[in-house]
Amino acid sequence: MKKFLQGTMFYIALIFVIMSLVFIQSNSTSKVEKIPFSEFYTSILEHKVSEVEIQDNGMIQGNMAGSDKVFTTYAGYLAKTDGLTKEILEQTQQGVLKSKVKEPTQTHWILDLLPMVMLILIIVAFWFIFVQQAQGGGSKVMGFGKSRAKLHKEDENIKITFNDVAGLQEEKEELKEIVDFLRSPQKYWNLGARIPKGILMVGPPGTGKTYLSKAVAGEAGVPFYSISGSDFVEMFVGVGASRVRDLFEQAKKTAPCIIFIDEIDAVGRKRGAGLGGGHDEREQTLNQLLVEMDGFRVNESIIVMAATNRPDILDPALLRPGRFDRQVMVGSPDVKGREEILKVHSRKKPLAEDVDLKVIARGTAGFTAADIENLMNEAALLTARNNGTKIKMQTIEEAIVKTIVGLAKKSRIITEDEKKLTAYHEAGHAILATVQKFCDPVHQVTIIPRGMAGGFTMSRPQEDRYYTTKQELKEKMVELLGGRVAEELILEDVSTGASNDLERVAKIARAMVTTYAMTDKLGAMAYGDSSDEVFLGKDFTTKPNYSEEVASQIDHEIKIIVDEAYATARKLLQENIDRLHNVAQALMVYETLDSEQFKKAFNGELDLNEDVEESISEGADTFFDGEKSDDAKVSDENSDISETPINGETGVVVDVTTSVDASEQK
């Protein structure tokens, strides 16, 4: 009943009732016929009227003689003329006509005000409906400035603890210290220690920042308020700042407690970055948050936790000591962390005997916690689709490929020319990845379309790497250009399939020149701003930190690096032209080559006349066991390069042949 009263139907029903009350007097149950005054007067003279009632407003209502006909007519001032009045009086005296004069009715003042009241109620009802839509519904129609933080209680049915969080040992230790302070603060006060007022969890999307905060809520044993950064921002001016004040007022009443703000970059962006540096609603909210965290007010035993994947756009005042004292980096897990995460997400999943989580962990370098959870879920869905009862290793392999590239489109009709082009393109990638020293080993090559890719070559690093050398970047560009060069050498033409490869090559070359200073001509100097600032106002006020002459030199150096990589790719493929033909022909026959099949095709040992299905089934489970060929194996070497890889992370590398529709070509 309460939800009904709060809904739109209540207001519609209310308006209907009011309108019925207002117009109920106009509704008559009898049938009344309107006649002209002339007809009425003639009927009077002919004694055809049996009863008549003269109203004060000039309306005349009566009954015809000898029938049940009820009529009405408007006489106006004529109703008071001597002739009509005399005739009616005479017939009344004779007993032919019954007549009466209705006294003027006096309407109560409430009824006079009823139309105005109805109009006001309609306006109020529509205003309530509008406010509910603006607020996203709910029962707090008038509570604009009230906080929307959710209070997590200890007796919740679903409780996440630190035992449910895997692969984040150091991060958990940092947060355990906070939880311990809230449980026994006297231990820290005796030592004169000041607990951090705020903890900012920073990391890429999907690494477990929000999940870790849920574990803190489960471990704290104190009130835990959680709210999203976007919940502060509203269409009404001053609502965000009011909600911040209300949130901290609630927290003070239940201190010690924890306040968690997810995606704080929604309200914590740098001030003055918009056009004109305007003082908008978001900045008011941020200012109030700064005051509440460290201002004249004392917020003892209130710890603010926040999560974001964009720390570069946060306001410096928010990151200073006294507000967010600590920044906990939550990055992608290493091989041990991935194994622990796999154990967590496979607890309730029936795994086959051939599933080895350690092997899967080594084969999923660069995967975040969210990626691993999605991987195991996809494996379970694929098993259910095939009516299986246990998740097999081969199914997990397919799930990995599906997660990275997309769903296989085996039903797509491909011409022989396109099939040949894709085969030589991917063979070019695979050959150059194998013959070079620092490239990752090839684990799968296919010409079956997946997602937006017409084919792909998958390489997996044998171990986690956090640095990339100059030579590794050069070899990576050579590998990426292998498909384009193979098309040029064999088909004597080039296609749009190398569009993704060319974009990645340009990105690597530009980063080598401008970010990593891997060129002798420009020296050990970084050019450009790597903050990736998205504010339009900042773009108007900032200038590049290099001149147009240096920009021309940068473009020249990038071209030199790309041309050198292209020449190297062409030279290596010409030296291994027989291997290129062998791998391409194998792809034409088998369509998909795993690591073992690729090795045989690379060395010219793969029988292209044997049954395709049998060969594929024999090597279907070798995704996680592939190694480089003996003549291409190298020992791992440590480097002193202090910069991170070009993409900021390590993981499974996929070189794809992009399928471009004619409408998308430029």
Side-chain angles (χ1 to χ4, degrees), residues 183-201:
R183 290 176 174 176
S184 54
Q186 193 64 39
K187 177 175 64 175
Y188 296 88
W189 290 341
N190 294 337
L191 297 174
R194 178 184 64 83
I195 201 68
K197 294 184 179 181
I199 297 178
L200 181 65
M201 291 185 290

Side-chain angles (χ1 to χ4, degrees), residues 324-365:
F324 284 108
D325 304 84
R326 291 185 181 179
Q327 292 191 19
V328 179
M329 297 298 301
V330 186
S332 300
D334 55 9
V335 60
K336 184 179 179 181
R338 292 194 299 272
E339 183 180 352
E340 295 177 357
I341 296 172
L342 284 168
K343 291 179 180 178
V344 171
H345 292 297
S346 60
R347 288 176 180 174
K348 300 180 180 180
K349 294 179 174 63
L351 302 179
E353 291 76 9
D354 62 339
V355 176
D356 191 345
L357 297 181
K358 292 184 178 179
V359 177
I360 300 175
R362 291 197 304 268
T364 53

Side-chain angles (χ1 to χ4, degrees), residues 26 34 83 91 119 163 223 241 269 304-305 419 424 485 512 531 542 643:
S26 63
K34 288 186 177 181
Q91 293 186 22
L119 181 60
N163 295 329
R269 292 175 179 261
V304 181
M305 295 176 57
K419 188 175 182 181
Y424 275 99
V485 175
M512 290 178 62
S531 61
T542 57
E643 295 291 335

Side-chain angles (χ1 to χ4, degrees), residues 402-654:
K402 182 182 177 182
T403 302
I404 298 174
V405 187
L407 183 66
K409 300 179 181 179
K410 298 180 181 180
S411 60
R412 178 183 293 182
I413 300 175
I414 304 175
T415 64
E416 287 297 321
D417 291 339
E418 290 180 342
K419 188 175 182 181
K420 182 179 179 181
L421 185 148
T422 307
Y424 275 99
H425 184 103
E426 300 304 330
H429 287 309
I431 294 296
L432 294 184
T434 306
V435 299
Q436 294 188 101
K437 183 178 180 181
F438 296 106
C439 289
D440 298 321
V442 176
H443 285 266
Q444 192 179 70
V445 188
T446 182
I447 60 174
I448 297 177
R450 282 183 176 267
M452 296 296 295
F456 68 88
T457 301
M458 178 177 291
S459 302
R460 177 182 60 83
Q462 295 175 306
E463 60 184 12
D464 293 335
R465 296 197 301 266
Y466 303 98
Y467 306 101
T468 305
T469 64
K470 180 180 179 180
Q471 186 61 32
E472 289 174 348
L473 292 176
K474 286 185 175 182
E475 292 189 2
K476 184 61 188 176
M477 287 191 296
V478 173
E479 178 188 349
L480 290 171
L481 292 172
R484 173 73 171 240
V485 175
E487 294 178 11
E488 185 178 348
L489 287 176
I490 305 301
L491 306 177
E492 297 181 352
D493 198 0
V494 293
S495 69
T496 59
S499 59
N500 178 261
D501 301 326
L502 298 177
E503 291 176 1
R504 295 168 65 184
V505 168
K507 183 179 179 181
I508 294 175
R510 182 167 292 277
M512 290 178 62
V513 176
T514 61
T515 305
Y516 306 130
M518 294 181 177
T519 174
D520 297 333
K521 188 173 182 179
L522 295 177
M525 183 175 177
Y527 299 92
D529 186 8
S530 61
S531 61
D532 295 328
E533 188 62 65
V534 296
F535 299 119
L536 184 60
K538 185 176 183 296
D539 296 335
F540 280 118
T541 58
T542 57
K543 297 181 180 180
N545 58 357
Y546 52 87
S547 63
E548 294 183 0
E549 181 181 356
V550 174
S552 178
Q553 293 179 1
I554 291 174
D555 294 338
H556 181 68
E557 290 296 318
I558 292 174
K559 188 176 186 304
I560 290 177
I561 293 175
V562 174
D563 290 345
E564 181 183 347
Y566 197 91
T568 303
R570 187 179 183 88
K571 178 183 177 183
L572 291 176
L573 284 182
Q574 287 177 339
E575 294 175 353
N576 296 271
I577 193 68
D578 294 336
R579 292 172 172 174
L580 178 63
H581 287 300
N582 292 337
V583 175
Q585 291 174 5
L587 286 172
M588 293 282 289
V589 175
Y590 294 96
E591 294 186 341
T592 299
L593 301 178
D594 56 35
S595 59
E596 293 298 326
Q597 290 175 315
F598 171 73
K599 286 182 188 179
K600 293 180 180 179
F602 181 84
N603 297 319
E605 300 173 354
L606 186 64
D607 188 2
L608 302 181
N609 296 320
E610 64 178 296
D611 186 70
V612 175
E613 295 182 359
E614 182 181 354
S615 299
I616 293 176
S617 61
E618 290 177 354
D621 299 326
T622 60
F623 177 81
F624 296 99
D625 301 325
E627 302 288 342
K628 281 192 174 183
S629 58
D630 295 336
D631 58 343
K633 286 185 179 180
V634 298
S635 59
D636 295 322
E637 299 179 359
N638 295 327
S639 65
D640 295 329
I641 303 295
S642 59
E643 295 291 335
T644 58
I646 181 69
N647 55 359
E649 60 185 12
T650 60
V652 178
V653 180
V654 181

